């Protein structure tokens, strides 16, 4: 396993991060525990979760994933060996059963205390805002469209002050963003720079894969110049880049089979691109999944690649991507496809 550090910290994390959003819905608790056991034994020391998980979100399953992780900590005694990241859910119609206050101080404090309790820990190493409060483009919306009905007022300073209190209390160590735009990242950095003592965002958890390289357009320069590390999620595009949906296949228990509305990586251009990437992988004796993950692993702005799996065999293949170095020829072929079919998934 390869390791790096969270930007501007001494927190050492594996290049592969274990994603957890299926535990409690697609995966049972015992399956989630088996994944944590295997990942840890392979050198993965970075786990990412959220109060929202498992997804799709439902009030009857709210925060089950954090409980599964907390039970593993209690059983294994490995809390001190794991870099643990979680997130507060943002406002949305599908989170109204959680709370409706957005990122008001009381909401952040409530969310943190709830996560700590479920995770059976006194602190989280990284705490992230799962998506912005304001109306902007995320979760498959490619472009920004102003919303005349928006009521959000800039509360970035207040959010950072609340997070500062939690850092001072030792309940969180570092803070990060998720599903964020260049404007949002720079606004948070600007506020922290203007007010010494406020916590500085050090990571951004956004989608990044062969089918969605939009991070490169504006955020990669911010990542490079401002030292904001990418935690790449959906590196296989909801499993599309494993090739399991090619030819119209609908594997039993697969995410898109179970939840057809999770189709942002399934449009005709995304399928066309996936077929082209599959040809490259086959030509060079690689599995499509490992080639796709190895590409993400190779990016200079990457801090960690968040992989998820519903079976141990998938998990083994995904973690194994950490040992694969793509040749210049493979990378060149990938760029040819990208130039022809750039970012087919939003």
């Amino acid at each position: 396993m390869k390791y790096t550090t969270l930007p501007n910290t001494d927190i050492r994390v594996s290049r592969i991060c274990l994603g957890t959003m299926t535990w409690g819905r697609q995966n049972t608790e015992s399956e989630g525990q088996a994944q944590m056991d295997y990942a840890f034994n392979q050198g993965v020391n970075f786990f990412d979760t959220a109060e929202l998980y498992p997804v799709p979100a439902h009030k009857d399953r709210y925060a089950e994933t954090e409980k599964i992780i907390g039970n593993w900590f209690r059983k294994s005694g490995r809390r001190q060996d794991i870099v643990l990241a979680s997130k507060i859910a943002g406002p949305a119609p599908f989170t109204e059963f959680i709370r409706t206050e957005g990122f008001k101080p009381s909401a952040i404090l409530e969310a943190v205390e709830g996560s700590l309790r479920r995770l059976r820990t006194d602190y989280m190493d990284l705490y992230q805002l799962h998506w912005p409060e304001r109306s902007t483009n995320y979760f498959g919306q490619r472009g920004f469209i102003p919303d005349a009905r928006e009521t959000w007022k800039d509360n970035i300073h207040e959010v950072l002050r609340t997070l500062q209190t939690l850092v001072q209390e030792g309940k969180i160590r570092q803070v990060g963003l998720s599903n964020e735009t260049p404007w949002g990242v720079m606004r948070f950095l600007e506020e922290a720079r203007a007010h010494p003592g406020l916590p500085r965002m050090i990571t951004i958890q956004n989608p990044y894969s062969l089918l969605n390289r939009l991070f490169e357009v504006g955020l990669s320069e911010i990542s490079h110049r401002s030292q904001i590390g990418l935690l790449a999620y959906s590196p296989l595009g909801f499993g599309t880049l494993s090739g399991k949906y090619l030819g119209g296949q609908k594997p039993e228990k697969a995410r898109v089979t179970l939840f057809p509305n999770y189709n942002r990586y399934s449009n005709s251009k995304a399928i066309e691109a996936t077929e082209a990437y599959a040809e490259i992988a086959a030509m060079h004796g690689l599995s499509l999944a490992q080639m796709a993950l190895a590409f993400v692993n190779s990016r200079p702005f990457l801090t960690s690649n968040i992989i998820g799996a519903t079976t141990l065999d998938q998990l083994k293949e995904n973690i194994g991507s950490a040992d694969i170095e793509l040749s210049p020829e493979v990378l060149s072929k990938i760029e040819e496809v990208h130039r022809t079919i750039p970012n087919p998934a939003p």
Side-chain angles (χ1 to χ4, degrees), residues 48-342:
D48 177 75
T49 191
E51 66 167 341
L52 183 71
Y53 297 166
V55 292
H58 191 278
K59 63 181 180 180
D60 292 339
R61 298 176 185 267
Y62 167 59
E64 283 297 314
T65 305
E66 288 188 327
K67 295 174 186 176
I68 290 171
I69 296 170
N71 290 342
W72 186 80
F73 285 148
R74 181 182 62 177
K75 175 184 174 182
S76 68
R78 294 290 189 185
R79 174 65 189 96
Q80 301 303 317
D81 300 316
I82 299 298
V83 178
L84 177 63
S86 194
K87 315 177 196 72
I88 177 175
F94 58 88
T95 61
E96 289 179 351
F97 68 87
I98 301 175
R99 68 182 68 84
T100 57
E101 298 92 344
F103 296 150
K104 290 183 179 179
S106 59
I108 296 174
L109 297 175
E110 174 192 85
V112 167
E113 292 297 340
S115 288
L116 291 175
R117 182 176 62 255
R118 291 184 293 267
L119 290 163
R120 298 177 183 271
T121 185
D122 297 326
Y123 69 98
M124 288 174 280
D125 298 281
L126 177 66
Y127 196 63
Q128 304 152 100
L129 307 180
H130 206 154
W131 61 87
E133 285 182 283
R134 65 190 191 279
S135 175
T136 189
N137 46 316
Y138 55 82
F139 290 147
Q141 180 182 327
R142 192 183 294 268
F144 172 67
I145 302 173
D147 184 352
R149 300 166 300 174
E150 183 176 39
T151 60
W152 179 78
K153 304 295 183 184
D154 192 325
N155 61 343
I156 303 300
H157 184 85
E158 181 181 60
V159 169
L160 289 176
R161 282 289 301 273
T162 306
L163 293 172
Q164 177 187 34
T165 298
L166 290 161
V167 170
Q168 292 170 340
E169 292 176 349
K171 293 177 180 177
I172 56 178
R173 297 177 67 189
Q174 300 291 337
V175 292
L177 298 165
S178 183
N179 296 293
E180 192 49 277
T181 67
W183 184 89
V185 174
M186 294 308 293
R187 180 69 190 88
F188 273 97
L189 292 180
E190 173 189 59
E191 196 66 27
R193 186 181 300 114
H195 301 277
L198 291 182
R200 183 184 188 277
M201 297 296 179
I202 63 167
T203 56
I204 177 171
Q205 184 175 148
N206 271 31
Y208 185 80
S209 70
L210 289 174
L211 299 177
N212 180 341
R213 293 169 56 177
L214 292 170
F215 187 88
E216 297 174 6
V217 177
L219 284 165
S220 62
E221 183 177 9
I222 293 173
S223 174
H224 171 71
R225 299 191 187 281
S226 299
Q227 295 183 299
I228 301 288
L230 172 64
L231 306 181
Y233 81 78
S234 289
L236 291 179
F238 295 160
T240 300
L241 287 165
S242 70
K244 64 185 178 184
Y245 300 116
L246 290 179
Q249 297 181 84
K250 295 183 178 180
E252 186 181 1
K253 297 183 179 180
R255 172 160 291 271
V256 179
T257 303
L258 292 172
F259 313 113
N261 58 313
Y262 281 58
N263 59 3
R264 63 198 261 197
Y265 298 97
S266 303
N267 63 69
S268 60
K269 281 297 181 182
I271 293 170
E272 182 183 349
T274 300
E275 291 171 341
Y277 290 128
E279 290 180 9
I280 297 171
M283 189 184 308
H284 291 85
L286 298 166
S287 79
L288 175 56
Q290 288 198 328
M291 185 187 81
L293 293 172
F295 174 80
V296 175
N297 295 342
S298 73
R299 301 299 88 186
F301 43 75
L302 182 80
T303 291
S304 195
N305 187 359
I306 305 174
I307 56 98
T310 51
T311 71
L312 275 179
D313 284 343
Q314 291 172 350
L315 185 64
K316 291 173 183 177
E317 181 178 24
N318 292 351
I319 292 176
S321 70
D323 298 322
I324 294 176
E325 297 286 340
L326 299 181
S327 69
E329 182 180 1
V330 170
L331 291 171
S332 176
K333 292 291 184 183
I334 286 173
E335 290 304 317
E336 287 180 17
V337 175
H338 180 61
R339 284 193 294 271
T340 304
I341 315 173

